[in-house]
Amino acid sequence: MSPVSLTPAQSHALLDILTHRETYTAEIELFKTPGIINSYVPIPGLRDISQDFWSKRIQPLIDDLAKANLSESYDKGSMGIRKTLATAVSALIEYPARGVLGGMPGREIKPDPNRVYDVNHQQDLVDAWREFMRQVVYGDLLDRLFEKAAQSDDLQAHNDLVIAAHQHIVVNLASLAHYVLVTSPKGQTLLSLVERTNKLIPYRIVRQTLKVGNAATMISGMTRLVLAKVSIGTLTNWIGWSSGADEGMNLLQTIIYTVLSWEIKELESRVSKLEKSKDCPSKQHLAAILAYTKLTRLDQEDYRVISKASSTSIVHSIISLAPSSPSTEFTAEGHKLLLEYLSIQLSIRDREHLILVLCKSNPDVLTAAIRDIMQIYDPILRDIHNAVDLSGTISDFERFVNDMIKTAKIPSTEGGSGTSTPTNNENGPKKPPGVEDFVRLFERHQGSCHVFLHQFCKKGDKSKELWLEYAKYAAKQFRRPEGVTGEGAGGFTATLNKLVNELNEEDRKVVLRQMDEYEEYLQKLNQKTKRRMESIVSINDGEQPKKPLKKGPGNFLFKWQELLDSTEITPAEATGGKVRSGKDTSVRAASGVGLDGEKRGGKLVSGIGEIVNGDGAKEVVEMPDVRKTVELLLPRFKEVLASREYLEKKDENDDGDDDDDDDDDDSDSFFEANEE
């Protein structure tokens, strides 16, 4: 059997498949397992962070959250905020992961000094972003950016390349924010959480504290403001009359506790209404459901296995195995109420355990961790305090958050509970916010960010040099070895060839076919992203849309949606039902229900993967089935990553490539001192 050599398109597709799956299923999702954080230690830390910080502060906190056994989407019948945010993080970080493995293409390309970039042209924004990143990785653009930022806070002081790349970032950030807060079913619930938290932050006191001229006094004041506890338990523990007595909560914990308690009250109100419903099943049924929420993760997983294998809902599995043997014969409405009851009780339990871990744990790991971080970053905070108007920065941040909340609220609909906010004019029809509204939001507030960066780069001294060195170190990780050119998987192509050639001929044919299908899928995503970017650019150029843009550009949105759509959800029927997925209409509808039981916001946005053909017809772009490829290659892919052999080869190629980088030859380099 002769070995195969993957084409650039195939290697590109395969690297995309493996990093997409590995990032979420093999990394992020495992954090719900107690003890998993231990496999990530030692974590390469900053120079002044001791190993004890990770082992005695961060590890216990993450492990406690895992032991809390927070609820699964399968049981709740919908996607929660944690699932939404976890998949979003995964969809974003898989891109730099691929960049580190394959490297940034274009090492051999020389910049064109005569190229002009137009921010009102879609292709110019894309080209500018690629050239921007290429010069960051292989050139001296980082030095020039820091230098120019120190001279002026005006974006227009930079060249066309930077301005166009900046606009590309703004559009993609707007697209992400719109998708998180508006398009995703849990967006308005998340927005409500942000709004409640924002109202509890004492901005005035924070600003006054940050105005203190002496840096040490300011840091001490902020630490006391956020972390100080005043209670009888605090006093008796300090005197020595008691040990481990409850010391109460600090400001940060009080905010967390208050917001979560508000949500618990809303959920308990729904429980009360449900129990009084005429269709509510017996107390035995409710008791069995409540008992299930208190089981361990492994015990609950056994119920899910039974549910999937027997084509019954999770509720039916719980009732059928309950020690009290309640009847499994209930009406469709009764079954629906039991599913809702389980979802509500799981939500209540989640919040109660978050309060226990974050606000009432003894010892208080969260407070201790934040105190340690404040001490570790004390020199940097002093430098920033002397360089930047932190009080003004907090004011800018408060204005941005308030503006974002106002922009993101979906107008109320009949039977819904969204808050009405016109997007065009006060007297006109009220429309849901579009992506263009978020672009304008970021454009309105980008100036405050530029002012902060200007002050930091102008007067930051040591901190500026530290972050510049960090940026260079990070950019270096994306370099391709000398001689590796073209597209595809770059420096990781040889490794992928090796993995594929280890397969037998039959499996290899399946994998090659799935690679080709997946690359075609990626090309369709590129087309869709291009069209959406063109729509945004046309609005910035003065063309007004007939209706708000519901979806923004960015292939990461499709990847994110695919992770949500592939989530398994309990069957809706008691028996004879099939396991649903996140893309089912009933699941999306359930995910859009707020804590009060009302639908949050307006009409559900579907068809994230639709693409318009030349004849005007819409074609749904769905990720092809690549499960066989994942099954065959993901375990070996993880082994390769764990062995770090590819990094050693990459480092060998880079050793002779940094003669122009003085920082790399400094034996006291911040990062060399901390590399594992």
Side-chain angles (χ1 to χ4, degrees):
M1 184 172 58
S2 59
V4 299
S5 180
L6 300 179
T7 66
Q10 288 174 332
S11 62
H12 174 257
L14 182 55
L15 184 59
D16 197 293
I17 292 170
L18 295 177
T19 51
H20 178 64
R21 290 298 174 187
E22 201 274 343
T23 303
Y24 184 69
T25 60
E27 299 292 340
I28 289 181
E29 203 171 33
L30 287 181
F31 272 94
K32 64 188 178 185
T33 305
I36 191 64
I37 186 63
N38 295 325
S39 63
Y40 288 84
V41 176
I43 300 174
L46 298 180
R47 176 172 50 193
D48 298 323
I49 296 183
S50 67
Q51 194 60 44
D52 284 348
F53 174 78
W54 302 108
S55 60
K56 295 182 180 180
R57 298 287 187 255
I58 303 303
Q59 281 186 35
L61 183 61
I62 295 178
D63 209 32
D64 285 345
L65 289 171
K67 291 177 182 177
N69 186 23
L70 301 179
S71 60
E72 293 283 342
S73 298
Y74 185 90
D75 296 346
K76 297 181 72 173
S78 64
M79 243 72 67
I81 292 177
R82 284 185 296 110
K83 185 73 172 183
T84 301
L85 296 181
T87 49
V89 170
S90 176
L92 290 172
I93 65 176
E94 69 176 78
Y95 284 88
R98 277 195 294 277
V100 169
L101 294 176
M104 178 76 186
R107 183 177 193 135
E108 70 285 355
I109 299 176
K110 300 298 181 183
D112 181 3
N114 299 319
R115 173 70 191 270
V116 177
Y117 297 92
D118 183 358
V119 295
N120 294 318
H121 191 276
Q122 177 268 336
Q123 192 58 48
D124 278 4
L125 294 187
V126 174
D127 291 344
W129 174 246
R130 289 176 178 170
E131 180 60 21
F132 177 89
M133 290 302 299
R134 198 194 64 76
Q135 292 191 29
V136 164
V137 173
Y138 297 115
D140 62 346
L141 184 55
L142 282 173
D143 289 306
R144 289 185 279 127
L145 283 174
F146 273 72
E147 181 181 353
K148 183 63 69 173
Q151 296 172 1
S152 173
D153 60 10
D154 185 5
L155 176 63
Q156 300 305 316
H158 293 268
N159 58 32
D160 287 350
L161 171 66
V162 174
I163 294 173
H166 180 281
Q167 186 63 21
H168 186 276
I169 294 172
V170 167
V171 171
N172 278 275
L173 282 177
S175 180
L176 174 63
H178 177 268
Y179 200 80
V180 171
L181 298 175
V182 178
T183 304
S184 68
K186 279 298 179 187
Q188 293 298 290
T189 301
L190 178 60
L191 182 67
S192 176
L193 177 65
V194 172
E195 184 175 19
R196 287 178 169 180
T197 303
N198 186 58
K199 289 179 179 179
L200 294 174
I201 298 175
Y203 283 109
R204 177 179 293 182
I205 299 177
V206 172
R207 284 194 295 268
Q208 290 175 344
T209 306
L210 292 174
K211 285 181 179 179
V212 175
N214 183 274
T217 305
M218 182 277 293
I219 294 173
S220 176
M222 282 299 301
T223 302
R224 288 199 301 269
L225 173 64
V226 177
L227 301 180
K229 298 181 179 183
V230 180
S231 68
I232 298 298
T234 305
L235 179 61
T236 57
N237 284 344
W238 180 72
I239 295 176
W241 291 353
S242 63
S243 176
D246 184 9
E247 297 185 355
M249 295 180 288
N250 55 44
L251 174 63
L252 175 63
Q253 291 169 325
T254 300
I255 292 174
I256 296 173
Y257 174 82
T258 302
V259 172
L260 294 179
S261 295
W262 283 343
E263 294 185 344
I264 289 174
K265 288 182 179 179
E266 283 188 284
L267 292 166
E268 288 176 339
S269 176
R270 287 178 62 190
V271 169
S272 179
K273 291 179 181 179
L274 188 149
E275 291 175 341
K276 296 176 182 178
S277 171
K278 64 178 182 178
D279 296 312
C280 181
S282 69
K283 292 183 178 180
Q284 279 187 318
H285 290 95
L286 299 182
I289 297 296
L290 188 59
Y292 172 80
T293 65
K294 300 177 182 179
L295 295 178
T296 65
R297 178 177 300 279
L298 293 178
D299 289 338
Q300 288 181 348
E301 188 58 38
D302 290 339
Y303 282 82
R304 296 184 197 113
V305 171
I306 294 172
S307 169
K308 296 173 186 178
S310 60
S311 298
T312 59
S313 72
I314 186 66
V315 162
H316 187 278
S317 298
I318 294 170
I319 299 300
S320 62
L321 297 174
S324 58
S325 301
S327 172
T328 56
E329 299 293 331
F330 28 70
T331 64
E333 184 62 26
H335 177 259
K336 181 180 178 181
L337 288 176
L338 283 177
L339 285 172
E340 183 181 357
Y341 184 78
L342 174 60
S343 177
I344 297 172
Q345 290 293 358
L346 287 171
S347 296
I348 292 174
R349 184 188 177 282
D350 286 348
R351 285 156 179 79
E352 289 175 342
H353 277 71
L354 285 174
I355 288 174
L356 288 175
V357 173
L358 300 178
C359 305
K360 295 186 176 182
S361 63
N362 193 359
D364 187 352
V365 179
L366 177 63
T367 299
I370 296 176
R371 286 189 185 277
D372 286 352
I373 291 174
M374 294 289 286
Q375 292 176 0
I376 291 165
Y377 284 95
D378 182 87
I380 297 176
L381 293 174
R382 289 171 183 260
D383 202 31
I384 293 177
H385 173 267
N386 294 329
V388 178
D389 176 13
L390 293 177
S391 178
T393 300
I394 289 297
S395 295
D396 292 337
F397 175 77
E398 181 183 13
R399 283 191 289 269
F400 170 75
V401 173
N402 289 333
D403 197 2
M404 180 188 69
I405 292 171
K406 181 180 178 181
T407 299
K409 284 185 178 179
I410 297 179
S412 59
T413 57
E414 186 176 352
S417 59
T419 302
S420 174
T421 303
T423 59
N424 292 331
N425 60 74
E426 294 295 329
N427 298 320
K430 298 171 182 177
K431 301 178 181 179
V435 181
E436 68 276 13
D437 295 304
F438 280 80
V439 172
R440 287 193 283 265
L441 167 70
F442 282 98
E443 289 177 342
R444 284 196 298 271
H445 294 275
Q446 66 185 16
S448 59
C449 182
H450 299 159
V451 169
F452 175 88
L453 292 174
H454 168 62
Q455 294 174 347
F456 176 76
C457 291
K458 184 178 181 179
K459 302 178 181 178
D461 298 333
K462 294 181 180 179
S463 294
K464 181 192 73 172
E465 294 302 321
L466 174 69
W467 285 103
L468 177 57
E469 185 181 358
Y470 172 79
K472 289 180 178 179
Y473 175 83
K476 181 181 176 182
Q477 311 311 308
F478 294 89
R479 293 179 183 175
R480 282 186 173 180
E482 285 280 6
V484 177
T485 60
E487 300 297 328
F492 206 72
T493 301
T495 302
L496 295 179
N497 279 326
K498 179 182 178 182
L499 295 182
V500 172
N501 283 309
E502 290 175 352
L503 302 174
N504 61 51
E505 187 171 3
E506 183 179 350
D507 288 340
R508 190 188 300 175
K509 288 180 179 179
V510 174
V511 169
L512 291 174
R513 175 177 55 79
Q514 292 187 350
M515 283 185 214
D516 293 335
E517 293 173 352
Y518 194 85
E519 180 61 22
E520 183 180 352
Y521 159 76
L522 292 177
Q523 293 305 317
K524 289 181 178 179
L525 296 192
N526 290 337
Q527 294 175 30
K528 189 62 177 175
T529 288
K530 179 180 178 180
R531 290 185 63 254
R532 293 180 181 179
M533 180 71 82
E534 287 174 344
S535 299
I536 294 292
V537 170
S538 66
I539 294 173
N540 285 347
D541 199 24
E543 180 181 333
Q544 292 300 317
K546 296 180 180 179
K547 56 183 180 179
L549 298 176
K550 295 180 180 179
K551 308 156 197 169
N555 285 4
F556 59 87
L557 296 181
F558 298 93
K559 300 293 191 67
W560 179 11
Q561 187 63 52
E562 189 278 331
L563 290 173
L564 291 173
D565 288 348
S566 62
T567 303
E568 290 186 323
I569 304 294
T570 179
E573 299 81 16
T575 59
K578 67 175 183 177
V579 175
R580 295 175 292 168
S581 66
K583 64 182 178 182
D584 282 35
T585 303
S586 60
V587 175
R588 291 192 177 187
S591 301
V593 174
L595 296 174
D596 55 3
E598 299 291 337
K599 179 182 175 183
R600 305 294 294 181
K603 183 179 179 181
L604 285 174
V605 177
S606 60
I608 186 69
E610 288 179 351
I611 185 169
V612 180
N613 295 327
D615 57 1
K618 288 186 177 180
E619 171 193 355
V620 177
V621 181
E622 292 188 353
M623 182 178 289
D625 185 1
V626 292
R627 286 176 293 181
K628 190 64 176 179
T629 298
V630 173
E631 176 189 337
L632 292 171
L633 296 181
L634 187 59
R636 284 286 293 119
F637 179 69
K638 291 181 63 178
E639 290 176 7
V640 169
L641 296 184
S643 69
R644 301 175 66 87
E645 292 178 6
Y646 68 96
L647 286 180
E648 294 172 5
K649 294 178 181 178
K650 187 175 180 180
D651 291 340
E652 289 173 3
N653 280 279
D654 280 342
D655 283 344
D657 190 48
D658 297 316
D659 295 336
D660 59 335
D661 195 344
D662 295 336
D663 291 336
D664 289 338
D665 296 327
D666 186 357
S667 60
D668 294 327
S669 168
F670 179 84
F671 294 100
E672 287 184 3
N674 291 279
E675 287 182 338
E676 290 297 318

